[in-house]
Amino acid sequence: MPLNWRRLKVFAIVALLFLNIVFIAMVLDRNHSATHYDDDVTRDALLLFARDGLDVDARFLTGKLPSPQVLSGDMNEGKRALSKKLMSKGYLAQEAVGGTRYFGLYDEIYLGNDFSFTYSYVYGEEMPSYLLIEGNYMDVTGERYAEGAWSSVQTFLTEKALLPQATDKYASEITCEAILSEKDHYIVRALQKIEGSYIAAETLFLVRDGIVRSAEGTLVTYLPTQTLEAENVGLLEIFFSEKESLRENEKKTVSDVVYSFAPYFDANGLFYLVPLCSVIYEDGSRSTYNFVSGEIWVDA
């Protein structure tokens, strides 16, 4: 019986399409498994958490798993570019322990190799953290008369060129978290974001007569240049760690989970913004983990 080559060709095409569909379905299923927790695993874990005193809402473990990445950049390259900017504004640079000091006519900036930052308008100006300890400050965040203090901070950062300019891939911004007041001056608490995630450290600015008089904290002055793939420990594993850390008969309720960055450095002059995961509880306490290693993060 002669072969019907036309029918055989159609059959081969249909078989190939079927195999492609099966292959795509397998890939999608594998991708879903890699980016979502299994429903049965989630249900059993939530029951186990509740039994041992940890109340976790299912919304934290359903949907696509968070997978923040590690950002990296070159400290030496960033330092050279920023030094050039500051020196063009009349500052003299001098190498110091752990960083560089920049001397102006009336002020001084210190930029550490770990993104630490201090500023003094005149020699001997007290730092905001000391004033907070010694003074009696009132929170005036949101008051119209305090808005000028935040505007002064923004003007200061722009004039000193301390915030990195956005690139095609990365961007930075600084936000006002609180404004505190005592007598004739304000202390502004600010946080910095890189690519939409906060840096897990604040910067304090002392403002008097519309001028930033002193400042201290952490300021990421160079943007990352590349994104590195890193396997995260996973939120489920962090909840298990939290469950194990509960004291006998202790009960806690998770109210939120927040992701941020912490800077790390290597001996080759590279910096890394490593994702952190903070589990926040209804009582106001929190536990923060390095989201790559799974270790408890301690703010140095």
Side-chain angles (χ1 to χ4, degrees), residues 51-54 242-252:
R51 186 200 69 183
D52 291 349
L54 185 65
E242 285 297 282
K243 179 185 77 69
E244 294 300 321
S245 69
L246 292 176
R247 297 186 297 272
E248 186 175 358
N249 298 323
E250 183 181 18
K251 295 184 181 299
K252 300 185 78 172

PDB file of all heavy atoms in Angstrom, residues 51-54 242-252:
ATOM      1  N   ARG A  51       0.228  26.784  65.610  1.00  0.00           N
ATOM      2  CA  ARG A  51       0.297  25.864  66.751  1.00  0.00           C
ATOM      3  C   ARG A  51       1.381  26.261  67.736  1.00  0.00           C
ATOM      4  O   ARG A  51       1.226  26.130  68.957  1.00  0.00           O
ATOM      5  CB  ARG A  51       0.574  24.447  66.235  1.00  0.00           C
ATOM      6  CG  ARG A  51       0.530  23.358  67.311  1.00  0.00           C
ATOM      7  CD  ARG A  51       1.254  22.121  66.856  1.00  0.00           C
ATOM      8  NE  ARG A  51       2.704  22.361  66.763  1.00  0.00           N
ATOM      9  CZ  ARG A  51       3.573  21.454  66.334  1.00  0.00           C
ATOM     10  NH1 ARG A  51       3.152  20.279  65.901  1.00  0.00           N
ATOM     11  NH2 ARG A  51       4.871  21.741  66.282  1.00  0.00           N
ATOM     12  N   ASP A  52       2.481  26.803  67.209  1.00  0.00           N
ATOM     13  CA  ASP A  52       3.625  27.145  68.056  1.00  0.00           C
ATOM     14  C   ASP A  52       3.662  28.611  68.464  1.00  0.00           C
ATOM     15  O   ASP A  52       4.653  29.090  69.012  1.00  0.00           O
ATOM     16  CB  ASP A  52       4.919  26.780  67.341  1.00  0.00           C
ATOM     17  CG  ASP A  52       5.104  25.274  67.220  1.00  0.00           C
ATOM     18  OD1 ASP A  52       4.348  24.527  67.874  1.00  0.00           O
ATOM     19  OD2 ASP A  52       5.991  24.842  66.463  1.00  0.00           O
ATOM     20  N   GLY A  53       2.585  29.376  68.144  1.00  0.00           N
ATOM     21  CA  GLY A  53       2.476  30.738  68.647  1.00  0.00           C
ATOM     22  C   GLY A  53       2.809  31.841  67.666  1.00  0.00           C
ATOM     23  O   GLY A  53       2.797  33.019  68.026  1.00  0.00           O
ATOM     24  N   LEU A  54       3.120  31.491  66.410  1.00  0.00           N
ATOM     25  CA  LEU A  54       3.441  32.507  65.408  1.00  0.00           C
ATOM     26  C   LEU A  54       2.262  32.652  64.447  1.00  0.00           C
ATOM     27  O   LEU A  54       1.973  31.742  63.667  1.00  0.00           O
ATOM     28  CB  LEU A  54       4.703  32.120  64.632  1.00  0.00           C
ATOM     29  CG  LEU A  54       5.222  33.148  63.629  1.00  0.00           C
ATOM     30  CD1 LEU A  54       5.691  34.411  64.340  1.00  0.00           C
ATOM     31  CD2 LEU A  54       6.351  32.570  62.785  1.00  0.00           C
ATOM     32  N   GLU A 242      11.897  32.319  62.797  1.00  0.00           N
ATOM     33  CA  GLU A 242      11.183  33.118  63.788  1.00  0.00           C
ATOM     34  C   GLU A 242      10.380  32.237  64.745  1.00  0.00           C
ATOM     35  O   GLU A 242      10.321  32.499  65.946  1.00  0.00           O
ATOM     36  CB  GLU A 242      10.256  34.115  63.087  1.00  0.00           C
ATOM     37  CG  GLU A 242      10.986  35.293  62.469  1.00  0.00           C
ATOM     38  CD  GLU A 242      11.692  36.133  63.509  1.00  0.00           C
ATOM     39  OE1 GLU A 242      11.031  36.921  64.202  1.00  0.00           O
ATOM     40  OE2 GLU A 242      12.921  35.983  63.640  1.00  0.00           O
ATOM     41  N   LYS A 243       9.783  31.207  64.220  1.00  0.00           N
ATOM     42  CA  LYS A 243       9.034  30.274  65.065  1.00  0.00           C
ATOM     43  C   LYS A 243       9.952  29.620  66.100  1.00  0.00           C
ATOM     44  O   LYS A 243       9.610  29.508  67.282  1.00  0.00           O
ATOM     45  CB  LYS A 243       8.363  29.200  64.203  1.00  0.00           C
ATOM     46  CG  LYS A 243       7.573  28.156  65.005  1.00  0.00           C
ATOM     47  CD  LYS A 243       7.040  27.071  64.119  1.00  0.00           C
ATOM     48  CE  LYS A 243       8.126  26.077  63.729  1.00  0.00           C
ATOM     49  NZ  LYS A 243       8.562  25.254  64.900  1.00  0.00           N
ATOM     50  N   GLU A 244      11.139  29.222  65.645  1.00  0.00           N
ATOM     51  CA  GLU A 244      12.074  28.557  66.542  1.00  0.00           C
ATOM     52  C   GLU A 244      12.607  29.496  67.615  1.00  0.00           C
ATOM     53  O   GLU A 244      13.038  29.052  68.682  1.00  0.00           O
ATOM     54  CB  GLU A 244      13.242  27.971  65.739  1.00  0.00           C
ATOM     55  CG  GLU A 244      12.856  26.844  64.796  1.00  0.00           C
ATOM     56  CD  GLU A 244      12.245  25.668  65.526  1.00  0.00           C
ATOM     57  OE1 GLU A 244      12.735  25.334  66.635  1.00  0.00           O
ATOM     58  OE2 GLU A 244      11.254  25.096  65.019  1.00  0.00           O
ATOM     59  N   SER A 245      12.589  30.801  67.342  1.00  0.00           N
ATOM     60  CA  SER A 245      13.137  31.753  68.307  1.00  0.00           C
ATOM     61  C   SER A 245      12.130  32.169  69.379  1.00  0.00           C
ATOM     62  O   SER A 245      12.503  32.864  70.334  1.00  0.00           O
ATOM     63  CB  SER A 245      13.645  33.002  67.576  1.00  0.00           C
ATOM     64  OG  SER A 245      12.557  33.747  67.030  1.00  0.00           O
ATOM     65  N   LEU A 246      10.871  31.765  69.233  1.00  0.00           N
ATOM     66  CA  LEU A 246       9.859  32.123  70.221  1.00  0.00           C
ATOM     67  C   LEU A 246      10.148  31.446  71.559  1.00  0.00           C
ATOM     68  O   LEU A 246      10.553  30.287  71.612  1.00  0.00           O
ATOM     69  CB  LEU A 246       8.465  31.711  69.737  1.00  0.00           C
ATOM     70  CG  LEU A 246       7.884  32.468  68.542  1.00  0.00           C
ATOM     71  CD1 LEU A 246       6.536  31.865  68.152  1.00  0.00           C
ATOM     72  CD2 LEU A 246       7.720  33.951  68.856  1.00  0.00           C
ATOM     73  N   ARG A 247       9.927  32.193  72.626  1.00  0.00           N
ATOM     74  CA  ARG A 247      10.053  31.606  73.955  1.00  0.00           C
ATOM     75  C   ARG A 247       8.835  30.732  74.259  1.00  0.00           C
ATOM     76  O   ARG A 247       7.806  30.819  73.579  1.00  0.00           O
ATOM     77  CB  ARG A 247      10.181  32.706  75.009  1.00  0.00           C
ATOM     78  CG  ARG A 247      11.434  33.569  74.853  1.00  0.00           C
ATOM     79  CD  ARG A 247      11.579  34.529  76.013  1.00  0.00           C
ATOM     80  NE  ARG A 247      10.464  35.465  76.055  1.00  0.00           N
ATOM     81  CZ  ARG A 247      10.432  36.614  75.400  1.00  0.00           C
ATOM     82  NH1 ARG A 247      11.446  36.965  74.620  1.00  0.00           N
ATOM     83  NH2 ARG A 247       9.389  37.420  75.513  1.00  0.00           N
ATOM     84  N   GLU A 248       8.940  29.924  75.259  1.00  0.00           N
ATOM     85  CA  GLU A 248       7.856  29.023  75.616  1.00  0.00           C
ATOM     86  C   GLU A 248       6.592  29.817  75.952  1.00  0.00           C
ATOM     87  O   GLU A 248       6.627  30.792  76.717  1.00  0.00           O
ATOM     88  CB  GLU A 248       8.255  28.169  76.815  1.00  0.00           C
ATOM     89  CG  GLU A 248       7.240  27.091  77.159  1.00  0.00           C
ATOM     90  CD  GLU A 248       7.707  26.189  78.279  1.00  0.00           C
ATOM     91  OE1 GLU A 248       8.843  26.384  78.772  1.00  0.00           O
ATOM     92  OE2 GLU A 248       6.944  25.297  78.669  1.00  0.00           O
ATOM     93  N   ASN A 249       5.487  29.436  75.299  1.00  0.00           N
ATOM     94  CA  ASN A 249       4.169  30.062  75.480  1.00  0.00           C
ATOM     95  C   ASN A 249       4.089  31.486  74.927  1.00  0.00           C
ATOM     96  O   ASN A 249       3.087  32.168  75.123  1.00  0.00           O
ATOM     97  CB  ASN A 249       3.749  30.078  76.959  1.00  0.00           C
ATOM     98  CG  ASN A 249       3.608  28.690  77.535  1.00  0.00           C
ATOM     99  OD1 ASN A 249       3.153  27.763  76.845  1.00  0.00           O
ATOM    100  ND2 ASN A 249       4.005  28.506  78.790  1.00  0.00           N
ATOM    101  N   GLU A 250       5.118  31.935  74.239  1.00  0.00           N
ATOM    102  CA  GLU A 250       5.077  33.267  73.629  1.00  0.00           C
ATOM    103  C   GLU A 250       4.257  33.236  72.343  1.00  0.00           C
ATOM    104  O   GLU A 250       4.327  32.276  71.579  1.00  0.00           O
ATOM    105  CB  GLU A 250       6.494  33.750  73.317  1.00  0.00           C
ATOM    106  CG  GLU A 250       6.542  35.168  72.744  1.00  0.00           C
ATOM    107  CD  GLU A 250       7.947  35.626  72.416  1.00  0.00           C
ATOM    108  OE1 GLU A 250       8.838  34.765  72.304  1.00  0.00           O
ATOM    109  OE2 GLU A 250       8.140  36.845  72.248  1.00  0.00           O
ATOM    110  N   LYS A 251       3.484  34.291  72.123  1.00  0.00           N
ATOM    111  CA  LYS A 251       2.681  34.394  70.911  1.00  0.00           C
ATOM    112  C   LYS A 251       2.950  35.735  70.244  1.00  0.00           C
ATOM    113  O   LYS A 251       2.976  36.777  70.919  1.00  0.00           O
ATOM    114  CB  LYS A 251       1.189  34.257  71.230  1.00  0.00           C
ATOM    115  CG  LYS A 251       0.795  32.886  71.775  1.00  0.00           C
ATOM    116  CD  LYS A 251      -0.703  32.779  71.978  1.00  0.00           C
ATOM    117  CE  LYS A 251      -1.092  31.424  72.550  1.00  0.00           C
ATOM    118  NZ  LYS A 251      -0.712  30.318  71.653  1.00  0.00           N
ATOM    119  N   LYS A 252       3.150  35.714  68.929  1.00  0.00           N
ATOM    120  CA  LYS A 252       3.406  36.946  68.190  1.00  0.00           C
ATOM    121  C   LYS A 252       2.650  36.905  66.871  1.00  0.00           C
ATOM    122  O   LYS A 252       2.480  35.837  66.271  1.00  0.00           O
ATOM    123  CB  LYS A 252       4.906  37.130  67.937  1.00  0.00           C
ATOM    124  CG  LYS A 252       5.745  37.202  69.203  1.00  0.00           C
ATOM    125  CD  LYS A 252       7.194  37.511  68.913  1.00  0.00           C
ATOM    126  CE  LYS A 252       7.401  38.981  68.632  1.00  0.00           C
ATOM    127  NZ  LYS A 252       8.831  39.349  68.526  1.00  0.00           N
TER     128      LYS A 252
END
